[in-house]
Structure formats: structure tokens, C-alpha cells
Amino acid sequence: VAAVREWKDGKDEEIMEDVTTSAVDGQEPVRSETCVLRFLTPTRFEVNHRTVKALSFSLFFGFLLRRIRNLQYFHYEPSSSTGDSILQERAKTIMLLSHDWVWMDQARRSHGRWMPQGGWVGEVRFSGDFSPFLPFLKLGELVHVGKGTSFGMGRFEILFPL
């Protein structure tokens, strides 16, 4: 992603530049071997209209990358996704260690009908080299991932335990 922009005080400001290569928050890339994704609001991923119950990092990263690229395309400029396939291949090297999440049912009202809007809440732990993915994960904390992001679903945070 070339830049992340924010509308603030009547001005369009750049808040993060070249997210594919820059360090996040002025820090060096994290070299941790373990990453925890903590899903704070119900998060639902679907493949072929079926809800994903076991999440691999490559699947998660594919959803996150698509979300970022769609936002970039519609709100900033079309991207050249030349490095995306390399990143997606590297994402396959990240291993799932555990998942401790529960399904949370909730619903919303739309045009007089109740629409189901459930999703997974909890933690998923992965192992591997996260340095090439960190800028995308940090951006994902801001833009959310999965189905229903416009309704506040898919909010997550990343943790690197010591």
C-alpha cells in the first residue's frame, strides 16, 4: 500500500507511508517467532459461502490483503500487486499453533427483518517469521477483516508474547 490517509480537521493527511516497506511506529520489524491474533469483535470468514472454522495464517492473510487492496483501489488508487503472490506464498510458511475462540451469535435489524451477524471471538496463535507481514497486520488493526467490517465486525489486535 503506497500510503494510508486520514481525514482530520478538514484536511486529508497521510498517516502511514509505503506500508509494504516502512517500519511501523518508527520501530524495527518484529522478529518474534509467535504472534497472537486477538479477535475483539465477531469475525467471520467465508469460503464458498461456508464459514471458516479452522483458520490458517495464509487464509487470514489472503482475506486481509484483499481488504487492504480493495480499500486502496476504491479510496486511493489502484495498486500494482506484483509482490502480493510472493507474500501469499510466504504466508504458507506460518504455522497454526492453537486457536481459542468461540462463536458469538448476534443479529442486526434490516428492513424489518433480523439478519444473523455472528462470528468468532478469541485468540489464534501462529508461529513463524512475521516481519514481512507486520505492516499489513498493523493496518488490519485499523481497517478490520472478514465479513461485516462496515458493521464493526472483524476488529482484531496483534500481540507478540515474550
Side-chain angles (χ1 to χ4, degrees), residues 8-25:
K8 191 174 189 179
D9 299 325
K11 293 183 270 179
D12 185 24
E13 294 182 9
E14 192 169 288
I15 59 171
M16 188 184 297
E17 62 182 61
D18 195 6
V19 77
T20 58
T21 57
S22 67
V24 178
D25 297 331

Side-chain angles (χ1 to χ4, degrees), residues 48 67 70 72-73 88-89 98 100 106 117 155:
N48 297 327
R67 170 98 171 122
N70 281 339
Q72 182 181 10
Y73 180 82
Q88 288 180 319
E89 281 302 311
S98 64
D100 182 21
Q106 62 182 46
Q117 196 172 356
R155 180 172 174 224

Side-chain angles (χ1 to χ4, degrees), residues 42 102-107 116-121:
V102 295
W103 184 262
M104 177 185 278
D105 273 326
Q106 62 182 46
Q117 196 172 356
W120 297 102
V121 177

Side-chain angles (χ1 to χ4, degrees), residues 131-147:
S131 54
F133 309 107
L134 185 61
F136 296 95
L137 293 171
K138 291 298 284 182
L139 184 55
E141 288 181 301
L142 298 173
V143 300
H144 304 191
V145 67
K147 302 292 252 173

Side-chain angles (χ1 to χ4, degrees), residues 54-57 93-99 124-127:
L55 186 65
S56 69
F57 186 80
T93 66
I94 305 292
M95 303 304 297
L96 173 68
L97 294 178
S98 64
H99 56 82
V124 181
R125 185 177 299 262
F126 295 103
S127 174

Side-chain angles (χ1 to χ4, degrees), residues 49-88:
H49 305 289
R50 295 214 149 139
T51 300
V52 172
K53 294 180 180 163
L55 186 65
S56 69
F57 186 80
S58 62
L59 188 61
F60 168 80
F61 185 70
F63 282 111
L64 179 60
L65 191 58
R66 184 173 344 145
R67 170 98 171 122
I68 291 169
R69 294 301 184 217
N70 281 339
L71 288 170
Q72 182 181 10
Y73 180 82
F74 289 108
H75 300 287
Y76 188 62
E77 65 184 27
S79 80
S80 72
S81 359
T82 53
D84 289 359
S85 59
I86 295 168
L87 279 170
Q88 288 180 319

Side-chain angles (χ1 to χ4, degrees), residues 30-37 57 94-98 123-131 134 137 157-162:
V30 173
R31 302 266 186 246
S32 176
E33 292 293 315
T34 304
C35 172
V36 176
L37 297 179
F57 186 80
I94 305 292
M95 303 304 297
L96 173 68
L97 294 178
S98 64
E123 295 182 351
V124 181
R125 185 177 299 262
F126 295 103
S127 174
D129 177 15
F130 296 94
S131 54
L134 185 61
L137 293 171
E157 65 182 357
I158 56 173
L159 307 167
F160 292 97
L162 299 174

